[in-house]
Amino acid sequence: MAEPFVSKTFPVKPKLKPKPRTPSKTPESKYWSSFKTHPVDNLAFSVPSLAFSPSPPHPFAAAHSASLSLFSPNTLSRTHTISSFSDVVSSVSFRSDGSLLAASDLSGLIQVFDVRTRTPLRRLKSHVRPVRFVQYPVLDKLHLVSGGDDGLVKYWDVAGESVVSELRGHKDYVRCGDCSPADANCFVTGSYDHVVKLWDVRVGDGNRAVTEVNHGKPVQDVIFLPSGSLVATAGGNSVKIWDLIAGGKMVYSMESHNKTVTSICVGRMGTQSGEEAMQLRILSVGLDGYMKVFDYSRMKVTHSMRFPAPLLSIGFSPDCNVRAIGTSNGIMYVGKRKGKENVESGANAILGWGNVEEPQRRVLKPSFHRYFHRGQSEKPSQGDYLVMRPKKVKLAEHDKLLKKFRHKNALISVLGGNDPEKVVAVMEELVARRALLKCVLNLDRDELGLLLMFLLKNSTMPRYSSLLMGLAKKVIDLRLEDIRACDALKGHIRNLKRSVDEEIRIQEGLQEIQGMVSPLLRIAGRR
């Protein structure tokens, strides 16, 4: 009678929680990651310009195609659209009180709108080529600055719809500009001639700038930093900071992007007014899809974020709650801070610049129950001994075959490549194992032809000739019958003999030259 089947159970080792691969975030990374991104994908065209209103609640405007859209900072939804443009809108700027909005297009026209009613109030027409930027001065409500593909920079009287000054210093397209936060009469412009110029409208000569710096690449964007003495420029894959008071001296060059940097702006961490100067960061975006956060007080990139499209523009709200990024495929990524800040309780103290301290964690002691359930993600303490896992060495195909003692397959595998050093190394290993001649005997005609082709190409090279010439003789002796029976193999042998004869002829010629030169060198040495 058959014995009944008895099932057996075996203990299963529980799976340990894997160690997280991503490093722990710093408080600053947590701050910038707290902007929850909401894609706005109904714009249909690229977004070359973004601007936030300086007045609360800080709505923002985005230029796309021949339209200008206004968005609410609370709901992040589109509230109004201005479509009174005949060409693609290239730039947008709010006045310092937030009540007026200026926008330029590629037809050369600049229009000024009432933000509340969206009514066009002024039409400024003087540029004969597309206008690439328009900017309201920070400390002036009556004038505008513009620049375009005609290489001209114009300073406008908005009320009179007239040009006050026409500046002609650039030699190529003027692409960007910014107004000084410290002086209403000063502004900078950047051009595709690689030059950034500082202008003062009080200087009478319109062809001469106060100061100029050379970025080294076509300038895509330029901004004043809040102090008014430093300027940041973007062009190529770099963002450079210049000191205007020192005569245009370059302070630092940040080259963290892989492709062209298209737009930069200033962002501030938190809202504590006493620490504003130490919380400022430069935000840059580029065609590589990355947004970089640069702390220019420590000259260090503190955060990086990747987006799935080339980025063209970036804006940051004055209250530090909304960040907007425009792309080339018509999608705008708007990020809003999660939660609310408690300034009175000092919750933002960890967001300042300098030595950032993380909140202290409770130390686990052996008297706690959780102490005995620590996982692999637990960080070691100072006195712990770390046992590092050895890195696994990735072997090539011929090395794997040699470990399995499949000598012939290893030789054929390496002969199929284009690296003679690896082939000679495998042959030397087979000589050490006394298996090379056995491999030669076991080759079929196609594999033998592959070996003869290798000998034909490399046997006359001085580095390998000592091994390969001897191997060629052995191959002919061992496989003579097969060579005689195959026309292709006989052709390889003829070519090999021709190559060897040519090498011998060259060596004999070199010996003759050496014999003629050596006596002359000896005579010259005696003198």
Side-chain angles (χ1 to χ4, degrees):
M1 183 176 178
E3 295 182 2
F5 176 76
V6 179
S7 62
K8 296 182 180 181
T9 58
F10 298 93
V12 179
K13 184 178 179 180
K15 292 184 178 180
L16 298 178
K17 185 178 180 181
K19 187 175 181 179
R21 295 183 179 180
T22 56
S24 58
K25 291 184 177 181
T26 63
E28 181 156 345
S29 294
K30 292 179 181 178
Y31 174 81
W32 295 110
S33 300
S34 66
F35 287 84
K36 186 176 179 181
T37 302
H38 302 269
V40 180
D41 55 0
N42 55 352
L43 301 180
F45 294 92
S46 60
V47 184
S49 180
L50 291 166
F52 278 86
S53 173
S55 61
H58 308 293
F60 59 97
H64 57 95
S65 184
S67 301
L68 186 66
S69 295
L70 299 176
F71 292 84
S72 167
N74 298 321
T75 61
L76 305 183
S77 59
R78 190 185 321 194
T79 56
H80 305 286
T81 299
I82 303 174
S83 302
S84 58
F85 297 93
S86 60
D87 209 331
V88 176
V89 182
S90 58
S91 180
V92 58
S93 175
F94 281 93
R95 200 170 72 171
S96 57
D97 57 0
S99 60
L100 297 183
L101 176 68
S104 62
D105 61 30
L106 299 187
S107 68
L109 177 65
I110 301 171
Q111 299 187 64
V112 179
F113 299 91
D114 186 314
V115 174
R116 187 173 59 86
T117 62
R118 280 86 58 198
T119 305
L121 304 178
R122 294 290 186 273
R123 293 169 60 89
L124 311 178
K125 181 67 175 178
S126 177
H127 287 277
V128 296
R129 300 289 296 278
V131 179
R132 295 296 179 174
F133 89 92
V134 62
Q135 187 78 26
Y136 262 112
V138 179
L139 305 176
D140 187 356
K141 299 180 181 180
L142 304 177
H143 298 91
L144 271 176
V145 180
S146 66
D149 288 354
D150 51 8
L152 301 178
V153 178
K154 296 179 185 289
Y155 186 70
W156 296 85
D157 176 13
V158 179
E161 298 184 358
S162 60
V163 178
V164 178
S165 298
E166 188 175 272
L167 310 173
R168 299 175 173 269
H170 287 290
K171 300 178 182 179
D172 206 337
Y173 300 157
V174 180
R175 301 290 293 190
C176 53
D178 194 23
C179 297
S180 172
D183 192 336
N185 300 300
C186 296
F187 53 89
V188 291
T189 56
S191 168
Y192 272 8
D193 59 5
H194 303 187
V195 176
V196 175
K197 293 179 179 288
L198 172 66
W199 305 94
D200 191 334
V201 294
R202 295 168 294 189
V203 178
D205 189 358
N207 296 325
R208 191 169 131 190
V210 178
T211 305
E212 64 178 48
V213 297
N214 194 321
H215 182 84
K217 296 284 185 181
V219 182
Q220 301 288 345
D221 201 3
V222 57
I223 58 171
F224 268 101
L225 299 184
S227 64
S229 61
L230 297 178
V231 167
T233 60
N237 65 340
S238 62
V239 176
K240 297 182 180 180
I241 300 176
W242 310 84
D243 189 349
L244 299 179
I245 296 179
K249 177 184 176 182
M250 188 176 73
V251 178
Y252 189 78
S253 176
M254 188 269 288
E255 299 179 358
S256 181
H257 286 273
N258 298 321
K259 293 184 180 180
T260 301
V261 183
T262 53
S263 181
I264 53 177
C265 73
V266 175
R268 185 162 55 87
M269 296 181 59
T271 58
Q272 291 182 347
S273 59
E275 298 182 358
E276 286 183 6
M278 294 189 295
Q279 295 179 354
L280 297 172
R281 305 290 187 264
I282 295 177
L283 278 65
S284 63
V285 293
L287 298 181
D288 55 1
Y290 277 95
M291 182 200 76
K292 305 282 185 177
V293 179
F294 180 67
D295 183 356
Y296 61 90
S297 61
R298 293 184 291 172
M299 304 303 174
K300 180 181 178 182
V301 177
T302 57
H303 185 66
S304 179
M305 185 176 293
R306 177 75 183 273
F307 292 87
L311 309 181
L312 299 182
S313 55
I314 185 170
F316 197 76
S317 65
D319 60 358
C320 311
N321 285 330
V322 180
R323 179 208 66 221
I325 297 176
T327 68
S328 62
N329 60 3
I331 299 177
M332 186 169 61
Y333 295 98
V334 184
K336 188 174 181 180
R337 285 287 310 276
K338 300 176 184 176
K340 297 181 180 179
E341 292 180 315
N342 187 0
V343 179
E344 297 179 356
S345 63
N348 292 321
I350 64 170
L351 300 178
W353 173 82
N355 296 326
V356 182
E357 298 181 358
E358 296 192 25
Q360 295 183 354
R361 298 177 60 186
R362 188 178 182 183
V363 180
L364 288 178
K365 298 180 181 180
S367 58
F368 297 158
H369 178 72
R370 283 195 302 118
Y371 177 84
F372 300 97
H373 292 272
R374 291 172 296 169
Q376 293 183 1
S377 60
E378 187 73 18
K379 295 182 179 179
S381 59
Q382 186 176 2
D384 291 342
Y385 179 78
L386 298 180
V387 179
M388 306 301 294
R389 179 179 297 176
K391 294 184 178 179
K392 187 176 181 180
V393 180
K394 187 175 181 180
L395 297 177
E397 183 65 24
H398 59 271
D399 288 328
K400 296 178 182 178
L401 295 171
L402 286 175
K403 289 187 68 174
K404 298 177 182 179
F405 297 95
R406 297 168 60 182
H407 298 144
K408 174 189 167 183
N409 294 335
L411 180 61
I412 298 303
S413 173
V414 77
L415 282 174
N418 296 320
D419 192 347
E421 290 187 1
K422 292 182 179 179
V423 178
V424 174
V426 171
M427 289 181 176
E428 290 177 346
E429 177 64 23
L430 294 178
V431 170
R433 298 187 184 189
R434 298 181 180 181
L436 181 58
L437 297 182
K438 186 182 293 186
C439 292
V440 173
L441 286 171
N442 294 330
L443 296 177
D444 58 26
R445 289 188 178 181
D446 294 336
E447 296 167 347
L448 183 59
L450 193 62
L451 176 60
L452 291 176
M453 283 293 296
F454 174 77
L455 294 175
L456 173 62
K457 293 179 182 179
N458 302 281
S459 60
T460 57
M461 295 181 64
R463 295 176 59 188
Y464 314 129
S465 59
S466 59
L467 172 65
L468 299 184
M469 290 304 296
L471 178 61
K473 295 178 182 179
K474 292 292 184 181
V475 171
I476 295 173
D477 293 340
L478 295 174
R479 304 300 298 269
L480 182 60
E481 297 297 331
D482 295 322
I483 293 172
R484 287 176 176 175
C486 180
D487 294 336
L489 297 180
K490 284 193 290 186
H492 291 323
I493 295 298
R494 283 194 297 269
N495 293 335
L496 178 59
K497 182 178 182 302
R498 191 179 299 112
S499 176
V500 173
D501 291 341
E502 181 67 19
E503 182 67 21
I504 292 173
R505 189 184 63 80
I506 293 173
Q507 295 296 331
E508 289 176 350
L510 292 175
Q511 288 180 354
E512 291 177 1
I513 295 173
Q514 183 180 7
M516 291 185 290
V517 173
S518 296
L520 297 176
L521 293 177
R522 285 196 297 270
I523 294 172
R526 292 173 186 174
R527 294 181 181 179

